Amino acid sequence: MKTTNYYNTFIEVAEDCPVKTAEVPPMRGEKTIANIEFELLIENPYEFTSDDVLFHVYAAKSHLKTKEFDAERALFFSKGQACFRSSPLTKRYGWGAHFNDEGRMAIYPVESAEYQQFSRDKTLKQVKAMRSKKA
């Protein structure tokens, strides 16, 4: 099974992130990937791993039933998945992602003191969110 989990890592916002202050992803009809990720992480800091969050998004968007989760999760992670560096939260909305030593994650607004502290912490692996594709 493949994984997207990070440990003792901080994902900084993308270099081409269009905001200087973190934004709550706006609702536009059906919940977007960004909406689902944001709600899950802002309400449950350090409760979930990246794998948990990405599978939760997949399950919600695919309208899976709870009884299908185990089999679907195994199938989902049997193939490589994009990691959290490609999340709209880190690319577009100005949220950094911190992963502790257990791989559990929380998000922090780019303008926060916590974000600044994590981004300078030499004990953490520092990575940037992926840049948006240029047209």
Side-chain angles (χ1 to χ4, degrees), residues 10-21 84-96 110 115 126-134:
F10 186 64
I11 299 176
E12 295 180 48
V13 299
E15 290 178 5
D16 62 347
C17 181
V19 300
K20 299 294 180 217
T21 302
F84 213 80
R85 290 179 56 219
S86 64
S87 166
L89 295 181
T90 58
K91 288 177 65 170
R92 160 67 185 89
Y93 293 107
W95 295 88
V110 67
Y115 180 100
Q126 302 287 329
V127 295
K128 288 219 183 262
M130 293 181 179
R131 295 172 58 96
S132 296
K133 292 180 181 177
K134 299 295 179 190

Side-chain angles (χ1 to χ4, degrees), residues 17-74:
C17 181
V19 300
K20 299 294 180 217
T21 302
E23 296 178 349
V24 174
M27 283 292 294
R28 298 184 181 115
E30 186 176 328
K31 285 186 180 180
T32 65
I33 291 169
N35 298 134
I36 298 166
E37 289 176 348
F38 179 80
E39 288 175 6
L40 194 62
L41 292 168
I42 206 72
E43 294 172 8
N44 304 286
Y46 298 108
E47 189 170 326
F48 300 107
T49 65
S50 177
D51 283 355
D52 295 335
V53 173
L54 296 178
F55 181 73
H56 185 88
V57 169
Y58 170 75
K61 297 297 269 176
S62 300
H63 306 289
L64 296 180
K65 303 206 181 329
T66 306
K67 65 182 178 184
E68 301 171 304
F69 279 14
D70 289 341
E72 288 291 329
R73 186 175 174 122

